[in-house]
Amino acid sequence: MTQSDPTDNALAAIASILDRPESHREPEKPAVAEHAPVIPPPIPVTPPPIEAHGYSKHGPGPMASIRFKWTVRLENGDYYVDETIGENSTPIVNGPMSREAAIQMVDDRESDARRRFEQLKSEMTGRGAAANLVRKDSGEA
């Protein structure tokens, strides 16, 4: 009888384990899955409606004395939007309108003012950059 290498026996044992047909194996089930709690899907939450009376937004700008402000107020069941420029101006009153229309007006006016402000700011910085280029080209420092 010949003496075989112990590694051969170990490799043969591993091969016999790995060569088993797939049909004889049972699928492994994680122990955690059996006890995992069932989490229900999130319930969509709708935010409460915006309180219109007192709803207010400010326009952009570096100086409060020329900054726009829009404020919704409720008077006798109707909504009005007071538009002011600066802190001590007499408001321009828009209304009567529905609650939704008043909130939408404030949002639209603020959005439009912000867009126009950014456009003006962009034009001013563009002109400033162009003026700097002209000065550099003409040799001025």
Side-chain angles (χ1 to χ4, degrees), residues 5-42:
D5 186 12
T7 309
D8 291 339
N9 291 336
L11 290 173
I14 292 171
S16 69
I17 293 170
L18 295 177
D19 286 341
R20 287 186 188 169
E22 291 295 321
S23 62
H24 292 89
R25 283 188 173 176
E26 289 188 27
E28 295 180 20
K29 295 180 182 177
V32 179
E34 294 176 13
H35 304 291
V38 176
I39 300 172

PDB file of all heavy atoms in Angstrom, residues 5-42:
ATOM      1  N   ASP A   5      -0.554  11.512   0.277  1.00  0.00           N
ATOM      2  CA  ASP A   5      -0.313  12.830   0.882  1.00  0.00           C
ATOM      3  C   ASP A   5      -1.578  13.263   1.635  1.00  0.00           C
ATOM      4  O   ASP A   5      -2.689  13.140   1.115  1.00  0.00           O
ATOM      5  CB  ASP A   5       0.036  13.817  -0.241  1.00  0.00           C
ATOM      6  CG  ASP A   5       0.442  15.185   0.301  1.00  0.00           C
ATOM      7  OD1 ASP A   5       0.667  15.312   1.513  1.00  0.00           O
ATOM      8  OD2 ASP A   5       0.529  16.122  -0.512  1.00  0.00           O
ATOM      9  N   PRO A   6      -1.485  13.772   2.881  1.00  0.00           N
ATOM     10  CA  PRO A   6      -2.677  14.206   3.628  1.00  0.00           C
ATOM     11  C   PRO A   6      -3.423  15.336   2.909  1.00  0.00           C
ATOM     12  O   PRO A   6      -4.625  15.479   3.050  1.00  0.00           O
ATOM     13  CB  PRO A   6      -2.144  14.688   4.968  1.00  0.00           C
ATOM     14  CG  PRO A   6      -0.693  14.418   4.999  1.00  0.00           C
ATOM     15  CD  PRO A   6      -0.281  13.895   3.672  1.00  0.00           C
ATOM     16  N   THR A   7      -2.726  16.097   2.119  1.00  0.00           N
ATOM     17  CA  THR A   7      -3.389  17.183   1.379  1.00  0.00           C
ATOM     18  C   THR A   7      -4.375  16.609   0.375  1.00  0.00           C
ATOM     19  O   THR A   7      -5.439  17.179   0.152  1.00  0.00           O
ATOM     20  CB  THR A   7      -2.329  18.045   0.642  1.00  0.00           C
ATOM     21  OG1 THR A   7      -1.328  18.436   1.563  1.00  0.00           O
ATOM     22  CG2 THR A   7      -2.939  19.264   0.028  1.00  0.00           C
ATOM     23  N   ASP A   8      -4.030  15.444  -0.200  1.00  0.00           N
ATOM     24  CA  ASP A   8      -4.932  14.823  -1.162  1.00  0.00           C
ATOM     25  C   ASP A   8      -6.261  14.469  -0.504  1.00  0.00           C
ATOM     26  O   ASP A   8      -7.335  14.638  -1.092  1.00  0.00           O
ATOM     27  CB  ASP A   8      -4.292  13.561  -1.755  1.00  0.00           C
ATOM     28  CG  ASP A   8      -3.114  13.883  -2.662  1.00  0.00           C
ATOM     29  OD1 ASP A   8      -3.046  15.039  -3.153  1.00  0.00           O
ATOM     30  OD2 ASP A   8      -2.278  12.993  -2.868  1.00  0.00           O
ATOM     31  N   ASN A   9      -6.191  13.942   0.710  1.00  0.00           N
ATOM     32  CA  ASN A   9      -7.425  13.598   1.428  1.00  0.00           C
ATOM     33  C   ASN A   9      -8.269  14.843   1.712  1.00  0.00           C
ATOM     34  O   ASN A   9      -9.491  14.821   1.581  1.00  0.00           O
ATOM     35  CB  ASN A   9      -7.104  12.884   2.737  1.00  0.00           C
ATOM     36  CG  ASN A   9      -6.543  11.506   2.516  1.00  0.00           C
ATOM     37  OD1 ASN A   9      -6.784  10.900   1.474  1.00  0.00           O
ATOM     38  ND2 ASN A   9      -5.787  11.004   3.478  1.00  0.00           N
ATOM     39  N   ALA A  10      -7.615  15.920   2.124  1.00  0.00           N
ATOM     40  CA  ALA A  10      -8.339  17.161   2.429  1.00  0.00           C
ATOM     41  C   ALA A  10      -8.986  17.725   1.166  1.00  0.00           C
ATOM     42  O   ALA A  10     -10.153  18.144   1.173  1.00  0.00           O
ATOM     43  CB  ALA A  10      -7.402  18.186   3.042  1.00  0.00           C
ATOM     44  N   LEU A  11      -8.251  17.721   0.060  1.00  0.00           N
ATOM     45  CA  LEU A  11      -8.799  18.219  -1.197  1.00  0.00           C
ATOM     46  C   LEU A  11      -9.960  17.363  -1.684  1.00  0.00           C
ATOM     47  O   LEU A  11     -10.949  17.866  -2.225  1.00  0.00           O
ATOM     48  CB  LEU A  11      -7.698  18.297  -2.263  1.00  0.00           C
ATOM     49  CG  LEU A  11      -6.639  19.372  -2.046  1.00  0.00           C
ATOM     50  CD1 LEU A  11      -5.526  19.231  -3.071  1.00  0.00           C
ATOM     51  CD2 LEU A  11      -7.242  20.757  -2.105  1.00  0.00           C
ATOM     52  N   ALA A  12      -9.868  16.054  -1.495  1.00  0.00           N
ATOM     53  CA  ALA A  12     -10.941  15.147  -1.889  1.00  0.00           C
ATOM     54  C   ALA A  12     -12.202  15.422  -1.072  1.00  0.00           C
ATOM     55  O   ALA A  12     -13.325  15.405  -1.590  1.00  0.00           O
ATOM     56  CB  ALA A  12     -10.490  13.701  -1.734  1.00  0.00           C
ATOM     57  N   ALA A  13     -12.037  15.684   0.222  1.00  0.00           N
ATOM     58  CA  ALA A  13     -13.183  15.979   1.079  1.00  0.00           C
ATOM     59  C   ALA A  13     -13.858  17.283   0.656  1.00  0.00           C
ATOM     60  O   ALA A  13     -15.094  17.381   0.575  1.00  0.00           O
ATOM     61  CB  ALA A  13     -12.742  16.055   2.536  1.00  0.00           C
ATOM     62  N   ILE A  14     -13.053  18.292   0.356  1.00  0.00           N
ATOM     63  CA  ILE A  14     -13.601  19.586  -0.085  1.00  0.00           C
ATOM     64  C   ILE A  14     -14.317  19.417  -1.422  1.00  0.00           C
ATOM     65  O   ILE A  14     -15.417  19.921  -1.630  1.00  0.00           O
ATOM     66  CB  ILE A  14     -12.484  20.647  -0.183  1.00  0.00           C
ATOM     67  CG1 ILE A  14     -11.954  20.981   1.203  1.00  0.00           C
ATOM     68  CG2 ILE A  14     -12.994  21.912  -0.878  1.00  0.00           C
ATOM     69  CD1 ILE A  14     -10.713  21.851   1.206  1.00  0.00           C
ATOM     70  N   ALA A  15     -13.731  18.669  -2.325  1.00  0.00           N
ATOM     71  CA  ALA A  15     -14.337  18.456  -3.638  1.00  0.00           C
ATOM     72  C   ALA A  15     -15.655  17.722  -3.509  1.00  0.00           C
ATOM     73  O   ALA A  15     -16.622  18.020  -4.215  1.00  0.00           O
ATOM     74  CB  ALA A  15     -13.372  17.683  -4.536  1.00  0.00           C
ATOM     75  N   SER A  16     -15.750  16.765  -2.594  1.00  0.00           N
ATOM     76  CA  SER A  16     -17.008  16.026  -2.440  1.00  0.00           C
ATOM     77  C   SER A  16     -18.114  16.930  -1.893  1.00  0.00           C
ATOM     78  O   SER A  16     -19.276  16.765  -2.236  1.00  0.00           O
ATOM     79  CB  SER A  16     -16.801  14.809  -1.537  1.00  0.00           C
ATOM     80  OG  SER A  16     -16.552  15.217  -0.205  1.00  0.00           O
ATOM     81  N   ILE A  17     -17.732  17.876  -1.064  1.00  0.00           N
ATOM     82  CA  ILE A  17     -18.728  18.818  -0.533  1.00  0.00           C
ATOM     83  C   ILE A  17     -19.194  19.764  -1.640  1.00  0.00           C
ATOM     84  O   ILE A  17     -20.381  20.012  -1.805  1.00  0.00           O
ATOM     85  CB  ILE A  17     -18.151  19.613   0.652  1.00  0.00           C
ATOM     86  CG1 ILE A  17     -17.892  18.697   1.844  1.00  0.00           C
ATOM     87  CG2 ILE A  17     -19.085  20.753   1.038  1.00  0.00           C
ATOM     88  CD1 ILE A  17     -17.104  19.346   2.966  1.00  0.00           C
ATOM     89  N   LEU A  18     -18.264  20.255  -2.419  1.00  0.00           N
ATOM     90  CA  LEU A  18     -18.594  21.214  -3.465  1.00  0.00           C
ATOM     91  C   LEU A  18     -19.268  20.584  -4.670  1.00  0.00           C
ATOM     92  O   LEU A  18     -19.984  21.249  -5.400  1.00  0.00           O
ATOM     93  CB  LEU A  18     -17.322  21.954  -3.913  1.00  0.00           C
ATOM     94  CG  LEU A  18     -16.666  22.836  -2.864  1.00  0.00           C
ATOM     95  CD1 LEU A  18     -15.378  23.439  -3.414  1.00  0.00           C
ATOM     96  CD2 LEU A  18     -17.613  23.942  -2.419  1.00  0.00           C
ATOM     97  N   ASP A  19     -19.083  19.304  -4.884  1.00  0.00           N
ATOM     98  CA  ASP A  19     -19.643  18.626  -6.048  1.00  0.00           C
ATOM     99  C   ASP A  19     -21.067  18.149  -5.823  1.00  0.00           C
ATOM    100  O   ASP A  19     -21.636  17.517  -6.697  1.00  0.00           O
ATOM    101  CB  ASP A  19     -18.763  17.430  -6.454  1.00  0.00           C
ATOM    102  CG  ASP A  19     -17.482  17.898  -7.127  1.00  0.00           C
ATOM    103  OD1 ASP A  19     -17.457  19.058  -7.588  1.00  0.00           O
ATOM    104  OD2 ASP A  19     -16.527  17.102  -7.177  1.00  0.00           O
ATOM    105  N   ARG A  20     -21.676  18.429  -4.705  1.00  0.00           N
ATOM    106  CA  ARG A  20     -23.054  18.002  -4.465  1.00  0.00           C
ATOM    107  C   ARG A  20     -23.972  18.718  -5.455  1.00  0.00           C
ATOM    108  O   ARG A  20     -23.804  19.905  -5.727  1.00  0.00           O
ATOM    109  CB  ARG A  20     -23.503  18.353  -3.049  1.00  0.00           C
ATOM    110  CG  ARG A  20     -22.900  17.507  -2.005  1.00  0.00           C
ATOM    111  CD  ARG A  20     -23.522  17.829  -0.675  1.00  0.00           C
ATOM    112  NE  ARG A  20     -22.817  17.158   0.390  1.00  0.00           N
ATOM    113  CZ  ARG A  20     -22.997  17.417   1.660  1.00  0.00           C
ATOM    114  NH1 ARG A  20     -23.851  18.349   2.034  1.00  0.00           N
ATOM    115  NH2 ARG A  20     -22.345  16.760   2.572  1.00  0.00           N
ATOM    116  N   PRO A  21     -24.980  18.025  -5.939  1.00  0.00           N
ATOM    117  CA  PRO A  21     -25.947  18.678  -6.832  1.00  0.00           C
ATOM    118  C   PRO A  21     -26.705  19.770  -6.084  1.00  0.00           C
ATOM    119  O   PRO A  21     -26.990  19.648  -4.898  1.00  0.00           O
ATOM    120  CB  PRO A  21     -26.888  17.550  -7.259  1.00  0.00           C
ATOM    121  CG  PRO A  21     -26.220  16.278  -6.857  1.00  0.00           C
ATOM    122  CD  PRO A  21     -25.224  16.597  -5.792  1.00  0.00           C
ATOM    123  N   GLU A  22     -27.057  20.838  -6.806  1.00  0.00           N
ATOM    124  CA  GLU A  22     -27.750  21.990  -6.209  1.00  0.00           C
ATOM    125  C   GLU A  22     -29.117  21.607  -5.649  1.00  0.00           C
ATOM    126  O   GLU A  22     -29.602  22.213  -4.721  1.00  0.00           O
ATOM    127  CB  GLU A  22     -27.906  23.113  -7.245  1.00  0.00           C
ATOM    128  CG  GLU A  22     -26.612  23.781  -7.639  1.00  0.00           C
ATOM    129  CD  GLU A  22     -25.957  24.527  -6.484  1.00  0.00           C
ATOM    130  OE1 GLU A  22     -26.674  25.160  -5.691  1.00  0.00           O
ATOM    131  OE2 GLU A  22     -24.728  24.464  -6.373  1.00  0.00           O
ATOM    132  N   SER A  23     -29.763  20.610  -6.218  1.00  0.00           N
ATOM    133  CA  SER A  23     -31.110  20.238  -5.780  1.00  0.00           C
ATOM    134  C   SER A  23     -31.134  19.696  -4.357  1.00  0.00           C
ATOM    135  O   SER A  23     -32.156  19.734  -3.701  1.00  0.00           O
ATOM    136  CB  SER A  23     -31.724  19.235  -6.738  1.00  0.00           C
ATOM    137  OG  SER A  23     -30.934  18.056  -6.746  1.00  0.00           O
ATOM    138  N   HIS A  24     -29.999  19.181  -3.864  1.00  0.00           N
ATOM    139  CA  HIS A  24     -29.955  18.619  -2.515  1.00  0.00           C
ATOM    140  C   HIS A  24     -29.709  19.663  -1.444  1.00  0.00           C
ATOM    141  O   HIS A  24     -29.882  19.403  -0.271  1.00  0.00           O
ATOM    142  CB  HIS A  24     -28.873  17.534  -2.431  1.00  0.00           C
ATOM    143  CG  HIS A  24     -29.216  16.328  -3.222  1.00  0.00           C
ATOM    144  ND1 HIS A  24     -28.876  16.197  -4.550  1.00  0.00           N
ATOM    145  CD2 HIS A  24     -29.886  15.191  -2.892  1.00  0.00           C
ATOM    146  CE1 HIS A  24     -29.310  15.037  -4.999  1.00  0.00           C
ATOM    147  NE2 HIS A  24     -29.924  14.401  -4.011  1.00  0.00           N
ATOM    148  N   ARG A  25     -29.297  20.860  -1.857  1.00  0.00           N
ATOM    149  CA  ARG A  25     -29.024  21.906  -0.871  1.00  0.00           C
ATOM    150  C   ARG A  25     -30.313  22.609  -0.481  1.00  0.00           C
ATOM    151  O   ARG A  25     -31.174  22.876  -1.301  1.00  0.00           O
ATOM    152  CB  ARG A  25     -28.080  22.970  -1.438  1.00  0.00           C
ATOM    153  CG  ARG A  25     -26.672  22.552  -1.478  1.00  0.00           C
ATOM    154  CD  ARG A  25     -25.825  23.733  -1.857  1.00  0.00           C
ATOM    155  NE  ARG A  25     -24.429  23.410  -1.752  1.00  0.00           N
ATOM    156  CZ  ARG A  25     -23.472  24.221  -2.100  1.00  0.00           C
ATOM    157  NH1 ARG A  25     -23.751  25.409  -2.592  1.00  0.00           N
ATOM    158  NH2 ARG A  25     -22.217  23.867  -1.982  1.00  0.00           N
ATOM    159  N   GLU A  26     -30.424  22.918   0.779  1.00  0.00           N
ATOM    160  CA  GLU A  26     -31.551  23.713   1.231  1.00  0.00           C
ATOM    161  C   GLU A  26     -31.138  25.169   1.229  1.00  0.00           C
ATOM    162  O   GLU A  26     -30.020  25.501   1.619  1.00  0.00           O
ATOM    163  CB  GLU A  26     -31.969  23.294   2.646  1.00  0.00           C
ATOM    164  CG  GLU A  26     -32.621  21.940   2.693  1.00  0.00           C
ATOM    165  CD  GLU A  26     -33.176  21.664   4.072  1.00  0.00           C
ATOM    166  OE1 GLU A  26     -33.517  22.624   4.791  1.00  0.00           O
ATOM    167  OE2 GLU A  26     -33.262  20.477   4.427  1.00  0.00           O
ATOM    168  N   PRO A  27     -32.040  26.066   0.806  1.00  0.00           N
ATOM    169  CA  PRO A  27     -31.670  27.486   0.804  1.00  0.00           C
ATOM    170  C   PRO A  27     -31.443  27.970   2.228  1.00  0.00           C
ATOM    171  O   PRO A  27     -32.145  27.571   3.158  1.00  0.00           O
ATOM    172  CB  PRO A  27     -32.868  28.179   0.166  1.00  0.00           C
ATOM    173  CG  PRO A  27     -33.985  27.198   0.241  1.00  0.00           C
ATOM    174  CD  PRO A  27     -33.383  25.830   0.326  1.00  0.00           C
ATOM    175  N   GLU A  28     -30.438  28.789   2.342  1.00  0.00           N
ATOM    176  CA  GLU A  28     -30.130  29.339   3.658  1.00  0.00           C
ATOM    177  C   GLU A  28     -31.075  30.484   3.956  1.00  0.00           C
ATOM    178  O   GLU A  28     -31.291  31.364   3.132  1.00  0.00           O
ATOM    179  CB  GLU A  28     -28.684  29.823   3.692  1.00  0.00           C
ATOM    180  CG  GLU A  28     -27.683  28.709   3.545  1.00  0.00           C
ATOM    181  CD  GLU A  28     -26.266  29.241   3.583  1.00  0.00           C
ATOM    182  OE1 GLU A  28     -26.052  30.363   4.077  1.00  0.00           O
ATOM    183  OE2 GLU A  28     -25.374  28.524   3.115  1.00  0.00           O
ATOM    184  N   LYS A  29     -31.640  30.482   5.137  1.00  0.00           N
ATOM    185  CA  LYS A  29     -32.539  31.547   5.552  1.00  0.00           C
ATOM    186  C   LYS A  29     -31.878  32.294   6.701  1.00  0.00           C
ATOM    187  O   LYS A  29     -31.497  31.674   7.694  1.00  0.00           O
ATOM    188  CB  LYS A  29     -33.882  30.992   6.028  1.00  0.00           C
ATOM    189  CG  LYS A  29     -34.669  30.322   4.940  1.00  0.00           C
ATOM    190  CD  LYS A  29     -35.979  29.808   5.485  1.00  0.00           C
ATOM    191  CE  LYS A  29     -36.755  29.083   4.418  1.00  0.00           C
ATOM    192  NZ  LYS A  29     -37.987  28.508   4.931  1.00  0.00           N
ATOM    193  N   PRO A  30     -31.769  33.589   6.568  1.00  0.00           N
ATOM    194  CA  PRO A  30     -31.187  34.330   7.686  1.00  0.00           C
ATOM    195  C   PRO A  30     -32.128  34.310   8.880  1.00  0.00           C
ATOM    196  O   PRO A  30     -33.345  34.401   8.735  1.00  0.00           O
ATOM    197  CB  PRO A  30     -31.021  35.753   7.132  1.00  0.00           C
ATOM    198  CG  PRO A  30     -31.884  35.831   5.926  1.00  0.00           C
ATOM    199  CD  PRO A  30     -32.103  34.426   5.445  1.00  0.00           C
ATOM    200  N   ALA A  31     -31.554  34.144  10.045  1.00  0.00           N
ATOM    201  CA  ALA A  31     -32.353  34.086  11.271  1.00  0.00           C
ATOM    202  C   ALA A  31     -33.045  35.407  11.546  1.00  0.00           C
ATOM    203  O   ALA A  31     -34.100  35.450  12.150  1.00  0.00           O
ATOM    204  CB  ALA A  31     -31.459  33.703  12.447  1.00  0.00           C
ATOM    205  N   VAL A  32     -32.473  36.490  11.082  1.00  0.00           N
ATOM    206  CA  VAL A  32     -33.031  37.815  11.349  1.00  0.00           C
ATOM    207  C   VAL A  32     -34.333  38.030  10.595  1.00  0.00           C
ATOM    208  O   VAL A  32     -35.247  38.672  11.075  1.00  0.00           O
ATOM    209  CB  VAL A  32     -32.012  38.917  10.969  1.00  0.00           C
ATOM    210  CG1 VAL A  32     -32.576  40.291  11.203  1.00  0.00           C
ATOM    211  CG2 VAL A  32     -30.734  38.721  11.741  1.00  0.00           C
ATOM    212  N   ALA A  33     -34.457  37.437   9.407  1.00  0.00           N
ATOM    213  CA  ALA A  33     -35.635  37.668   8.581  1.00  0.00           C
ATOM    214  C   ALA A  33     -36.900  37.143   9.249  1.00  0.00           C
ATOM    215  O   ALA A  33     -37.974  37.683   9.050  1.00  0.00           O
ATOM    216  CB  ALA A  33     -35.448  37.022   7.218  1.00  0.00           C
ATOM    217  N   GLU A  34     -36.788  36.079  10.024  1.00  0.00           N
ATOM    218  CA  GLU A  34     -37.960  35.517  10.679  1.00  0.00           C
ATOM    219  C   GLU A  34     -38.529  36.453  11.742  1.00  0.00           C
ATOM    220  O   GLU A  34     -39.715  36.442  12.003  1.00  0.00           O
ATOM    221  CB  GLU A  34     -37.601  34.183  11.309  1.00  0.00           C
ATOM    222  CG  GLU A  34     -37.233  33.107  10.310  1.00  0.00           C
ATOM    223  CD  GLU A  34     -36.785  31.837  10.996  1.00  0.00           C
ATOM    224  OE1 GLU A  34     -36.994  31.701  12.220  1.00  0.00           O
ATOM    225  OE2 GLU A  34     -36.216  30.972  10.319  1.00  0.00           O
ATOM    226  N   HIS A  35     -37.672  37.256  12.345  1.00  0.00           N
ATOM    227  CA  HIS A  35     -38.112  38.097  13.448  1.00  0.00           C
ATOM    228  C   HIS A  35     -38.121  39.581  13.103  1.00  0.00           C
ATOM    229  O   HIS A  35     -38.335  40.399  13.978  1.00  0.00           O
ATOM    230  CB  HIS A  35     -37.204  37.867  14.662  1.00  0.00           C
ATOM    231  CG  HIS A  35     -37.141  36.435  15.078  1.00  0.00           C
ATOM    232  ND1 HIS A  35     -38.217  35.784  15.635  1.00  0.00           N
ATOM    233  CD2 HIS A  35     -36.147  35.519  14.991  1.00  0.00           C
ATOM    234  CE1 HIS A  35     -37.880  34.528  15.879  1.00  0.00           C
ATOM    235  NE2 HIS A  35     -36.630  34.341  15.500  1.00  0.00           N
ATOM    236  N   ALA A  36     -37.872  39.906  11.846  1.00  0.00           N
ATOM    237  CA  ALA A  36     -37.827  41.320  11.462  1.00  0.00           C
ATOM    238  C   ALA A  36     -39.245  41.892  11.469  1.00  0.00           C
ATOM    239  O   ALA A  36     -40.176  41.263  10.979  1.00  0.00           O
ATOM    240  CB  ALA A  36     -37.210  41.477  10.080  1.00  0.00           C
ATOM    241  N   PRO A  37     -39.407  43.064  12.030  1.00  0.00           N
ATOM    242  CA  PRO A  37     -40.741  43.660  12.057  1.00  0.00           C
ATOM    243  C   PRO A  37     -41.137  44.125  10.646  1.00  0.00           C
ATOM    244  O   PRO A  37     -40.303  44.497   9.836  1.00  0.00           O
ATOM    245  CB  PRO A  37     -40.580  44.864  12.989  1.00  0.00           C
ATOM    246  CG  PRO A  37     -39.133  45.206  12.894  1.00  0.00           C
ATOM    247  CD  PRO A  37     -38.420  43.902  12.668  1.00  0.00           C
ATOM    248  N   VAL A  38     -42.416  44.051  10.386  1.00  0.00           N
ATOM    249  CA  VAL A  38     -42.940  44.521   9.107  1.00  0.00           C
ATOM    250  C   VAL A  38     -43.180  46.018   9.242  1.00  0.00           C
ATOM    251  O   VAL A  38     -43.942  46.464  10.107  1.00  0.00           O
ATOM    252  CB  VAL A  38     -44.254  43.792   8.743  1.00  0.00           C
ATOM    253  CG1 VAL A  38     -44.831  44.346   7.465  1.00  0.00           C
ATOM    254  CG2 VAL A  38     -44.007  42.298   8.649  1.00  0.00           C
ATOM    255  N   ILE A  39     -42.511  46.785   8.384  1.00  0.00           N
ATOM    256  CA  ILE A  39     -42.642  48.243   8.429  1.00  0.00           C
ATOM    257  C   ILE A  39     -43.623  48.672   7.351  1.00  0.00           C
ATOM    258  O   ILE A  39     -43.404  48.404   6.167  1.00  0.00           O
ATOM    259  CB  ILE A  39     -41.280  48.929   8.215  1.00  0.00           C
ATOM    260  CG1 ILE A  39     -40.311  48.483   9.307  1.00  0.00           C
ATOM    261  CG2 ILE A  39     -41.430  50.439   8.182  1.00  0.00           C
ATOM    262  CD1 ILE A  39     -38.896  48.937   9.100  1.00  0.00           C
ATOM    263  N   PRO A  40     -44.703  49.320   7.745  1.00  0.00           N
ATOM    264  CA  PRO A  40     -45.681  49.755   6.736  1.00  0.00           C
ATOM    265  C   PRO A  40     -45.112  50.899   5.898  1.00  0.00           C
ATOM    266  O   PRO A  40     -44.211  51.616   6.343  1.00  0.00           O
ATOM    267  CB  PRO A  40     -46.870  50.233   7.580  1.00  0.00           C
ATOM    268  CG  PRO A  40     -46.272  50.602   8.886  1.00  0.00           C
ATOM    269  CD  PRO A  40     -45.087  49.694   9.082  1.00  0.00           C
ATOM    270  N   PRO A  41     -45.610  51.057   4.680  1.00  0.00           N
ATOM    271  CA  PRO A  41     -45.118  52.168   3.851  1.00  0.00           C
ATOM    272  C   PRO A  41     -45.485  53.504   4.500  1.00  0.00           C
ATOM    273  O   PRO A  41     -46.476  53.594   5.241  1.00  0.00           O
ATOM    274  CB  PRO A  41     -45.843  51.971   2.513  1.00  0.00           C
ATOM    275  CG  PRO A  41     -47.021  51.119   2.828  1.00  0.00           C
ATOM    276  CD  PRO A  41     -46.645  50.291   4.022  1.00  0.00           C
ATOM    277  N   PRO A  42     -44.684  54.530   4.236  1.00  0.00           N
ATOM    278  CA  PRO A  42     -44.990  55.827   4.854  1.00  0.00           C
ATOM    279  C   PRO A  42     -46.319  56.385   4.357  1.00  0.00           C
ATOM    280  O   PRO A  42     -46.677  56.225   3.192  1.00  0.00           O
ATOM    281  CB  PRO A  42     -43.824  56.717   4.419  1.00  0.00           C
ATOM    282  CG  PRO A  42     -43.226  56.042   3.240  1.00  0.00           C
ATOM    283  CD  PRO A  42     -43.522  54.591   3.372  1.00  0.00           C
TER     284      PRO A  42
END
